[in-house]
Amino acid sequence: MATAETIEAALQRLSRLHPKKIDLSLGRIERLLEALGRPQDRLPPVIHVAGTNGKGSTCAFLKAISEAAGERCHVYTSPHLVRFNERIVLAGEIVDDARLEDAFARCEAANGDHEITFFEITTAAAFLLFSEVPADRLILEVGLGGRVDATNVLPKPQCTVITPVSLDHQAFLGDSIELIAAEKAGIIKRHVPVIVGPQTLEAEHMIRAAAEAMAAPVSIWGQDFRAYTEHGRLVFEAEDELWDLNPPSLAGSHQIINAGVAAAAARACGYSQQAVSAGLETARWPARLQRLTDGPLAEIVSEGEGALWLDGGHNLSAAESLAASLGEMEAGRERPLVLVCAFSNNKDAQGFLAYFEGLAARVIAIDFQGGREGAQTPGEVAEAARMAGLPAQTASDVIEAVRDAISDYPGARVVICGSLYLAGEVLALSEGGSVQSTPG
């Protein structure tokens, strides 16, 4: 009988099929998909989403829009926060253990003795499941990059989306915005509409060039469409169309952009204004400026008359958006802000925290267990905070950190941030469980 424990064992087994955790290529997954009977050719209409920031939120909005239109919607995202199953949503429901374990077993059998990365074989399992369960739509998020990402095997999605591009994963995608944008633009397909979120001039140039090479109709934020708030509503403008929409359910000013990009993609796919409006209002996406009100951490903060927030953003653009959103909150004029932070070894902690100089009263540095790249030590994070001009201290774990924050700053806004792996641990703690390993 499939259980969380047997899924965990399968994940560990799959992680040993290739010596590298990340090795971007399409050859291995294309070979496996052929052995599985090309499930990628038997999928419902696909919206394929790439980008550096806002991918997950945009996918969440698109899922909610699809469901508001009465559709059954598949979704593929990564990484997971608590359990691997979160990555695969089948017709609106997170995949159950039995179906997931069966898909893993069939993929292992079809793969034989060939090397394949963890993300490739689990993506193949997702495609297999998506091909077998009836649905009206698949929202497909790129794992890393785009051009040679394992999701980029579809001959013709209905629409592609590129959210804002910034520096991240430079070791795999390149050390400039131009190179990274070129990788993201690799999902653009011939004659398939592409929706483009706000970009730097360099990124926009690369994306537009890729679209022109593929004769793909391109719609760019600020030129072909835009979104903004007015009188408590979200206004979406595109060409000669003006939509009055419900405000997005996800908190933060940056979600206006994500909602606008999702609306543009939905419009390109033929969704009505009514479905878009309903979807924006009902979308859910954990660990994106999420208010926590349950669990032991929330209880500690509540006893100190504070507020607890969780955000998994981990690169510089995410820090800029988070700092802007926190600065705009009305409570920011009344309550001190304390950041509880951890960072993966490959992240720029000092650069991230620099956005909070003059905004945060203190940083409390911790670490997390597991994660693909491992965590910086609390001492390293605290030193990065001091270099960024912020008072800092360390704590042994997130419970001690939150307790220290609310003890030293009664009534504070406590924001846990810097890592999706940390976010997963916090959500697991709130739910009384543990995080399933994240090999890739």
Side-chain angles (χ1 to χ4, degrees), residues 299-347:
E299 289 178 8
I300 293 169
V301 173
S302 178
E303 289 171 1
E305 299 183 346
L308 181 63
W309 297 82
L310 177 66
D311 192 88
H314 47 264
N315 57 38
L316 302 189
S317 292
E320 183 178 17
S321 296
L322 177 60
S325 295
L326 292 171
E328 290 166 2
M329 285 184 178
E330 184 177 355
R333 296 192 293 268
E334 304 168 0
R335 302 184 180 192
L337 171 65
V338 180
L339 303 181
V340 174
C341 297
F343 294 91
S344 293
N345 277 321
N346 63 343
K347 299 305 178 185

Side-chain angles (χ1 to χ4, degrees), residues 46-131:
V46 175
I47 302 177
H48 199 188
V49 182
T52 306
N53 295 292
K55 285 185 302 178
S57 298
T58 301
C59 288
F61 284 128
L62 287 168
K63 173 181 181 289
I65 290 167
S66 169
E67 292 175 339
E71 294 182 341
R72 294 164 299 175
C73 186
H74 295 329
V75 186
Y76 186 58
T77 56
S78 62
H80 60 276
L81 292 173
V82 180
R83 295 192 65 207
F84 181 91
N85 307 52
E86 299 165 21
R87 301 185 183 206
I88 301 173
V89 174
L90 295 177
E93 300 293 334
I94 293 175
V95 64
D96 63 73
D97 290 340
R99 184 168 267 166
L100 181 61
E101 190 169 57
D102 176 69
F104 285 163
R106 286 188 285 160
C107 287
E108 285 185 88
N111 188 65
D113 296 329
H114 295 284
E115 288 188 348
I116 193 163
T117 68
F118 176 87
F119 187 72
E120 289 164 351
I121 195 168
T122 53
T123 298
F127 283 147
L128 189 61
L129 291 168
F130 293 144
S131 73

